[in-house]
Structure formats: C-alpha cells, structure tokens
Amino acid sequence: MTRAAEFHVPLATRRSATGIPTGRLALWWVLASEIVIFGGLLASYVMFRLHHPHWAEEASHTNVWAGGFNTFVLLTSSLFAVLGHQAAEHGDGTRAARFLKLTVLGGLVFLGVKTVEWSGEISHGFTIYRDLFWTFYYTATGLHGLHVIAGMIVLWLVARDAGRGKNLHRVELIGIYWHFVDAVWIFLFPLFYIAR
Amino acid sequence: MAEADAQSFWSRYLFSTDHKIIGLQYLFTGMFMGLVGAFLAYVFRMQLAFPGAHVPLYGVVTPLQYNALVTNHGAIMIFWVAMPILIAGLGNYLIPLMLGCDDMVFPRLNRLSYQIFFLSAVLILVSLFVPGGGFGGAWTAYPPLSASAQYNHTPWGAPLWLIAVALEFVAFLLGGINFITTVMNARAPGMGPLQIPIFVWMVVIASVVFMASVGPLVAGAIMLLFDQLLGTHFYDPKAGGDPLLWQHLFWFFGHPEVYVVLLPALGIVAEVITVFARKKLFAYKTILYTSFATGIISFFVWAHHQFVAGIDPRMAHLFTITTLIISIPIAEMTFAFIATLYGGSIELRTPMLWALAFIAEFLIGGVTGIFLGANATDIYLHDSYFVVAHFHYTFFPIAVIAGFAAITFWFPKMFGRHMNETLGKIHFWGTIIPFNFVFIPLFVLGAAGEHRRIYSYEHFSQLFTPGLQNLRVLATVALVVMLLFQFVFLYNFVRSWIAGEKAEPNPWRANTLEWAAPSPPPHGNFAEMPTVYRGPYEYSVPGRPLDYWPQHLPS
C-alpha cells in the first residue's frame, strides 16, 4: 500500500505565509473547536445549576480530596510537558521523551484516582440515574477523561518519535493540547466539586 | 508526475491524498446523496397529493415511514448534499488551486475527513433499513420524541441517525481546520488577504462559523445519545431535564449552519457573475466585510426558531431585531452582484444563467424570511408549509442552483472538457420553472394553515378542500417533472466527461489562479508556484488589449 508516492510531500505542507508553523496554527483551531464543545456542555450545566438549588446538596457527596489530588497530579504532569518542550527546543530527544513519559504517568495516576472515585460513588448509590446533577457529573468528567486518554496515547506516540530524534516540533504541540486538557479540569473541578 | 501514474487504481482514486481527487469524491458522494434525498421527497410528496395511494417505485407509505422519509430528506439534503458539494467538494478542489499551491497543508487529514464522511453517509443510509425503520423525529430531532424509543418507536434508527450526524460533524471539523490553516499558511507569494478570491474567503468564514457553532450541538448530541441509549434524563422534564435545552443547543448550531452553506454559494455566484459580466466585482471589500458580519450576526439569531416554544416575549423582540438585521449584509451582497452586472457585457452561458437564477430565487427566500423572523407573524406561520416553502427557496438556490452553477462553471477545469451548452440550458429551464411550481403553491398552502409533518390531510376537513388538494397535486407533479429533468443533467455530465469538446486551460478567460493550471490539473497542480501580482477581479481594465488580466501575469 505505501509506495514512494505516499511520501511525496506537497510544497503546501511546508509553506508558512503567516510565519506561524502550520501545526501550531491547526492545533489552536482544534482547541477552539474543543472549547466550544466543553463550553456548550458546561453552559448547559450552569444554567441548570442556577435553577436547581438542591444540586448543592448532591454536589457535597463528591470527593473533594480526590478531585484536589487529581488537580495537583494534572498540573504536575503539565509541568513535565513544559520541561519536555524545553528539552526538545535544545534538540535533546531522549530527555524530551523521558519527560513526556512522566506526563503519561501523570495521566495514568489521574485516571486511577478517578476509577477509585467513581467506583466508590457508584457503590454508594450515586449512579448516573440518581439525579440530573450526577448525569452531568459523569458526562462532563467522562468526556474529560476521554480527552485525557486520547492525550496520553498521542503523548506516547510523540515520546516514541522524540526518543528516536524524529518530529521534535510535535513535543510542543502535544504539550499545548495537554495544557488544554488541564485547563478544562481546572474548570470542571470547582464547578462540580467545590461549588455549593 | 511519474510517481503519481505508478500508483495502483486504489491508492490513486480511493485512498488518494490529492485534494482534487478528494474534492471530486465529496462532489460525487453529494450528488449521489442528492438523488437519494430527492427520491425521498418524491415519495412523500406523492403521499401528500394522493393519500394512501400506491407510490410507483416504493409502495404504500405508512405514517411511521412518512416521518422517516421527511426526517431523512431534511438531514440528507443539508448534511450530505449541501455541505459536501459546496464546502467540502468545491472547497477541496478549488482552494489550493485558487491559492496557487499544490495541495492542502494536511493531505492525510483531508483523506481521513473524507473517509469519516463516507462512513457517516453509509450509516445514514443503513439507518433507513434497520429494524423499526429510520428515525422519524424531524431533522431537528427535538426531544422528548427523539430521546426515547418508547416515543419514536425507532430503537435502532434514532441512535444510528444521531451517530451518523455526529460523524459528519467530525469530518467537517477536520476539513474546516484544514481549510482555514491552508488559507492562512499556504498562499502563493504575493497573495495578500485582499488578493484571495471571494469564494475562498467565503469557505473560510463558513468553516470558522461552523467550527464555533457546532460545539454546543456536539455536546447536546452526546447528551441526547445518553438519553437514547442509557436512559438518562437530560431532556426529560419529569426528571428535572429540559427539552428546550436541546432546542437552544441545536439552533445555536442550526441557524449559523444556514449561513455556513449560504456563504460558499454566494462566493460561487460572485466568481461566476464577475467572469460572465466581464466586469470587476463590485465592492470586493464590502462583500468581504458583510460576509464577516453575516458570520458574526448568525450567532445571535437562533432563538427565532423558538418563538412559539415559550420564550420570554422581550427575548423574542430582541431576536426579531437581530433576525431582521442579518438580512442587511445578505441584501448588500445581492446588491453588489446586481451592481456587478450593471453595465457589464453579459454572456448568458449556462453557469451565468444559474448564477442569475440564484439571485432571483434566493431573493424570494430571503423576503419571505422577514415574515417568519418577525415574531408576531411567526406565531401564526410557525411550522406551517409557509416555513417549508421559505427555507426551500433559500436552500434550493444554495445547494442546487449554486451547485449547478459551480459544476457547470468548473467542469472544464475538472475534466478538461466542455459540457454541452444546449443540454445545459434545457436542464436549467427544466429545473427552474418546475421548482417555482413546487414551492409557490406551498406558500399558499402554508398561509391557509396547512401544518408541516402531517401524514395525510384526509382527517382535516378544512385542509382537504378541493382547492388546497389541487395545489398539493400541482406541487407534486411539478416535482416529478423537475426530477425527470435532472436525468438530462446526469446524461450531459457523463457524456461530456467521456466525449465532450476539449477545453482550453482557461475557457472562460478568467483571472483566478485555478485557470492558470492545466485542465485537468496534474498531481501538484502547477509546474511551479505562481506569484500573484494583483487582485482576482481585474476585468476590462482600460488600456489593456485583453479584457482580463490573470493574477499571475507580471505587469
């Protein structure tokens, strides 16, 4: 299937009329489209929340400590992504790969904590059907979790390439994406866990 | 290109990363889906004109089937015909050519977007044949009807339909990112923002509007899917949900969507008119700024779909005002086109006929929109056939008329051959005249109070008078005539592709860069990247022997 022609790279892929690298430009547009997806979901949630005072009582059953720890984990993993980008800037692929793998580890810890958290909540009867608050809670955090998983997969692939010294510019791109995932969590945490 | 010829049939035509092949794939998929959507329309129009009769090629229509037919006609015609033809098909084909580069900036992402789109098209067709039948909750999919199989009786059809629509959104999001990035980064040297042809600008603005508006609906679609499959209660009032939430999320996308497909259509008309009037496009910058304005204002009009859904009357006034305001930029563009025609030396070739028809027919669509945008009149006309006629007078010019204008205009570029002019003109008149006979009766019916989405009017004595029933029959007969004339186009298309008269690289004597490439353009489009020296619309410049001045020729 793959032939020499597959690797005929069009000139367009290398042009940069704006001066911004094409990959970074596209990534910001991807993030823009992601922002409106989460924005739609969270705006709906906030509108409902304003009309349902009893949600505060429901929200008090969320595990603030687990959420807080997860916030800390994600922020730390973002730091590793930044350090990886710094290493890639200096052309040190192996070091960048190491930091990216640490970032993936942060994502794994995040998901592990979330698994414990969810299973505890479900076993205490706070299922997705209990109340609309919980429906929103599982939908929003689940969608965010999917983004974490997708980010981890891409991080791993980029780390593998970077370890071989290939495509070092992608380290920065996946870093930007990871910061976005982080930023979404920064919104989710107060909205679902802390707000009373 | 030697290495391009060496590829196998599969990698060259089905898994190609070449933007032209992908554009044609979108175009052909859209044309095929257009036939499917037209067939659905034919079936339910026959049912309305001759209730309970045996429809040729289909059989007897049951109420549930009728709902599925109407729903999927709407969804297919918008998401699988208008968008792939106008935005993805022509956008993919023309954007790199008009910018003077050899491909999109992400060729493989482009291929991926078509593959996802193809999958979604297959899914929507499959959803018509699953147990329980196709989804029948109207293309707007309002809950609670769409949210639970106990109401809509389509346990398979509804989720499949929703997943197909969501996949289509993903495909166009990827494609849109590609378009925007390409236009920002891959322009030929010398091509500043004001040397970009209007069509490219329109596709880019449409992509941005689509990207910004589709997000909330994707979130809403996830919630609706949860309601359908898991039995949650996002949209169920008895458990604290709110069906109106869906209407807001949907129309926050759905109304900008109208402008998403309108803008590329206006872009096509701009390109065609300026070439065939041999005159500089009037007010290039103004058209550009008004299309920006259209894109921005389109985000503030969505609630005019909920005037009878119990929104606050003060809110309704606000949305009435914004809805009337959005007609201003569109009207301005129409005036700019008319001013372009004024004093031009007009050649009435087939593409020009389509472009002129677009202006005339779209005008009717736009003016009747004023009736519906004003909340006082909308309370009477809401969900009547007046609405149906109004949006067909907008969408038909957008998708079909502008689509034919574009196909007939760029056909020589795509296949290196001319289409037959006589057959083209027969097809044009055979489409335009019946089209008006289909939808003008529907305005009358709607004003008489005929409601949408009613399977048979036999049970409503005041709507089953001979006069109204004759109008339904007239509309149906005109529709059948119009559909028969489409086969003239298909014959013309295929025959011209195989044995049409050979075309020059620049048969219309146009300025934009795509005509500087050979016809059909090879893999890589240009021998070398052209340099742009001037704007795209320098026609009939005084003091030049030729009446056109291509963008890439040095002074």
Side-chain angles (χ1 to χ4, degrees):
Chain A
M1 185 58 230
T2 45
R3 294 159 180 275
E6 284 287 301
F7 299 103
H8 157 76
V9 184
L11 201 65
T13 54
R14 295 193 300 276
R15 264 190 75 73
S16 177
T18 51
I20 305 166
T22 302
R24 200 190 306 165
L25 202 59
L27 191 82
W28 282 109
W29 284 108
V30 171
L31 294 193
S33 65
E34 295 265 36
I35 285 167
V36 280
I37 293 175
F38 279 104
L41 192 64
L42 293 180
S44 310
Y45 167 77
V46 169
M47 295 301 285
F48 273 107
R49 178 88 192 230
L50 295 175
H51 290 116
H52 295 294
H54 75 274
W55 282 18
E57 205 278 323
E58 295 288 342
S60 66
H61 295 289
T62 53
N63 190 335
V64 178
W65 286 107
F69 178 70
N70 258 349
T71 311
F72 170 73
V73 168
L74 264 195
L75 283 168
T76 314
S77 72
S78 265
L79 170 70
F80 289 136
V82 173
L83 292 170
H85 172 214
Q86 197 185 18
E89 289 283 285
H90 293 131
D92 189 349
T94 26
R95 201 173 136 85
R98 214 168 28 235
F99 277 121
L100 287 189
K101 282 170 183 166
L102 279 173
T103 316
V104 175
L105 185 71
L108 274 175
V109 172
F110 177 89
L111 289 173
V113 172
K114 187 160 284 295
T115 311
V116 173
E117 197 187 350
W118 276 24
S119 46
E121 276 153 4
I122 291 169
S123 64
H124 285 101
F126 298 107
T127 61
I128 194 165
Y129 302 112
R130 180 188 152 95
D131 187 87
L132 202 56
F133 170 81
W134 290 99
T135 317
F136 266 112
Y137 168 82
Y138 285 112
T139 308
T141 53
L143 190 64
H144 175 257
L146 281 179
H147 280 78
V148 172
I149 293 170
M152 279 161 54
I153 292 169
V154 182
L155 273 168
W156 189 262
L157 294 173
V158 172
R160 211 187 53 185
D161 269 7
R164 297 175 191 152
K166 281 195 308 185
N167 293 329
L168 281 182
H169 63 283
R170 289 184 183 169
V171 175
E172 180 197 8
L173 302 184
I174 187 61
I176 296 173
Y177 182 81
W178 195 253
H179 293 322
F180 163 78
V181 172
D182 201 0
V184 169
W185 180 253
I186 300 291
F187 279 93
L188 290 181
F189 180 58
L191 277 173
F192 285 93
Y193 289 74
I194 304 177
R196 289 282 179 266
Chain B
M1 290 288 169
E3 78 261 53
D5 296 335
Q7 298 171 56
S8 69
F9 172 83
W10 290 92
S11 60
R12 187 154 171 209
Y13 291 109
L14 293 174
F15 298 101
S16 174
T17 53
D18 184 9
H19 71 98
K20 296 184 292 297
I21 304 287
I22 293 170
L24 290 179
Q25 285 172 331
Y26 268 116
L27 193 69
F28 292 154
T29 315
M31 282 160 78
F32 171 75
M33 292 304 267
L35 287 176
V36 174
F39 178 75
L40 301 182
Y42 149 81
V43 176
F44 67 72
R45 271 311 325 168
M46 289 296 274
Q47 158 63 28
L48 287 173
F50 313 106
H54 179 94
V55 179
L57 301 178
Y58 184 84
V60 179
V61 185
T62 65
L64 272 179
Q65 283 174 353
Y66 177 85
N67 283 346
L69 290 168
V70 177
T71 302
N72 288 289
H73 167 74
I76 286 175
M77 284 300 194
I78 290 171
F79 295 134
W80 281 275
V81 180
M83 289 185 71
I85 289 181
L86 293 175
I87 298 177
L90 292 163
N92 255 318
Y93 199 97
L94 295 170
I95 283 178
L97 278 164
M98 283 182 164
L99 297 178
C101 59
D102 51 357
D103 207 329
M104 289 284 183
V105 288
F106 299 116
R108 283 180 300 178
L109 181 75
N110 208 5
R111 180 177 64 186
L112 178 71
S113 85
Y114 176 74
Q115 287 164 342
I116 295 173
F117 171 77
F118 184 80
L119 181 66
S120 75
V122 170
L123 273 183
I124 190 93
L125 293 178
V126 166
S127 83
L128 295 171
F129 300 103
V130 290
F135 174 57
W139 81 277
T140 51
Y142 282 2
L145 178 62
S146 61
S148 165
Q150 71 189 56
Y151 307 129
N152 57 31
H153 308 295
T154 51
W156 289 87
L160 267 179
W161 184 90
L162 198 59
I163 291 167
V165 173
L167 278 177
E168 199 264 2
F169 290 162
V170 171
F172 279 94
L173 274 176
L174 296 177
I177 290 165
N178 212 341
F179 288 163
I180 297 165
T181 322
T182 302
V183 176
M184 283 175 88
N185 253 354
R187 300 193 303 269
M191 185 176 265
L194 295 181
Q195 279 84 47
I196 300 177
I198 281 285
F199 175 71
V200 177
W201 263 122
M202 292 290 194
V203 174
V204 169
I205 296 164
S207 299
V208 175
V209 170
F210 180 81
M211 190 182 284
S213 64
V214 80
L217 182 60
V218 170
I222 292 169
M223 298 186 218
L224 186 58
L225 207 61
F226 277 15
D227 275 13
Q228 284 174 355
L229 299 178
L230 302 178
T232 56
H233 300 293
F234 281 115
Y235 301 118
D236 192 348
K238 76 169 185 281
D242 188 354
L244 267 180
L245 170 69
W246 169 265
Q247 296 191 20
H248 284 289
L249 291 175
F250 181 89
W251 286 116
F252 185 80
F253 157 78
H255 205 85
E257 166 70 14
V258 175
Y259 298 97
V260 166
V261 289
L262 167 64
L263 290 174
L266 287 166
I268 290 163
V269 172
E271 301 289 336
V272 173
I273 277 182
T274 184
V275 168
F276 288 101
R278 314 306 303 159
K279 196 160 166 278
K280 188 173 178 152
L281 184 68
F282 185 85
Y284 172 98
K285 276 190 193 173
T286 315
I287 290 178
L288 194 58
Y289 300 153
T290 48
S291 52
F292 284 136
T294 309
I296 293 164
I297 301 170
S298 73
F299 285 96
F300 302 102
V301 298
W302 82 90
H304 65 218
H305 296 269
Q306 288 108 294
F307 283 158
V308 296
I311 68 168
D312 190 318
R314 287 163 297 183
M315 188 86 115
H317 282 306
L318 184 73
F319 278 97
T320 297
I321 292 164
T322 53
T323 305
L324 299 186
I325 284 175
I326 202 170
S327 62
I328 296 172
I330 306 286
E332 190 283 335
M333 283 186 238
T334 313
F335 285 132
F337 297 156
I338 294 170
T340 307
L341 293 170
Y342 180 76
S345 45
I346 295 172
E347 302 170 59
L348 285 176
R349 305 293 290 269
T350 318
M352 185 61 164
L353 285 174
W354 286 113
L356 296 176
F358 175 93
I359 296 176
E361 304 288 8
F362 190 83
L363 185 71
I364 299 176
V367 169
T368 51
I370 303 286
F371 293 68
L372 301 168
N375 59 346
T377 40
D378 181 68
I379 285 168
Y380 173 71
L381 292 170
H382 185 86
D383 259 14
S384 72
Y385 260 83
F386 194 91
V387 179
V388 176
H390 153 69
F391 69 66
H392 279 86
Y393 258 105
T394 55
F395 268 123
F396 188 93
I398 287 169
V400 182
I401 296 182
F404 281 136
I407 291 170
T408 47
F409 184 65
W410 279 292
F411 190 91
K413 178 52 56 186
M414 290 174 177
F415 305 112
R417 293 174 185 278
H418 274 292
M419 284 183 97
N420 183 313
E421 202 67 22
T422 318
L423 284 176
K425 287 197 167 69
I426 290 172
H427 168 237
F428 168 78
W429 291 112
T431 306
I432 290 293
I433 295 169
F435 160 67
N436 290 296
F437 275 95
V438 175
F439 291 106
I440 285 185
L442 298 194
F443 280 124
V444 180
L445 285 165
E450 180 183 307
H451 194 278
R452 293 164 77 176
R453 297 172 187 144
I454 287 178
Y455 153 75
S456 158
Y457 293 92
E458 289 163 295
H459 314 293
F460 303 90
S461 53
Q462 73 279 25
L463 290 177
F464 207 63
T465 58
L468 293 182
Q469 194 57 25
N470 286 343
L471 285 178
R472 283 177 207 126
V473 174
L474 171 66
T476 302
V477 170
L479 172 80
V480 172
V481 172
M482 186 167 88
L483 290 185
L484 289 176
F485 269 102
Q486 302 316 304
F487 289 100
V488 176
F489 173 80
L490 283 179
Y491 169 76
N492 187 5
F493 191 92
V494 175
R495 191 178 158 280
S496 306
W497 191 359
I498 298 166
E501 179 196 342
K502 282 256 193 272
E504 316 241 315
N506 192 355
W508 311 120
R509 308 192 313 285
N511 287 346
T512 41
L513 285 175
E514 80 267 28
W515 303 104
S519 294
H523 200 77
N525 298 346
F526 299 94
E528 56 182 26
M529 194 172 246
T531 310
V532 175
Y533 293 96
R534 65 190 61 78
Y537 301 116
E538 300 295 323
Y539 292 100
S540 307
V541 179
R544 260 184 71 82
L546 290 172
D547 65 351
Y548 65 107
W549 202 356
Q551 284 184 278
H552 62 286
L553 291 187
S555 317

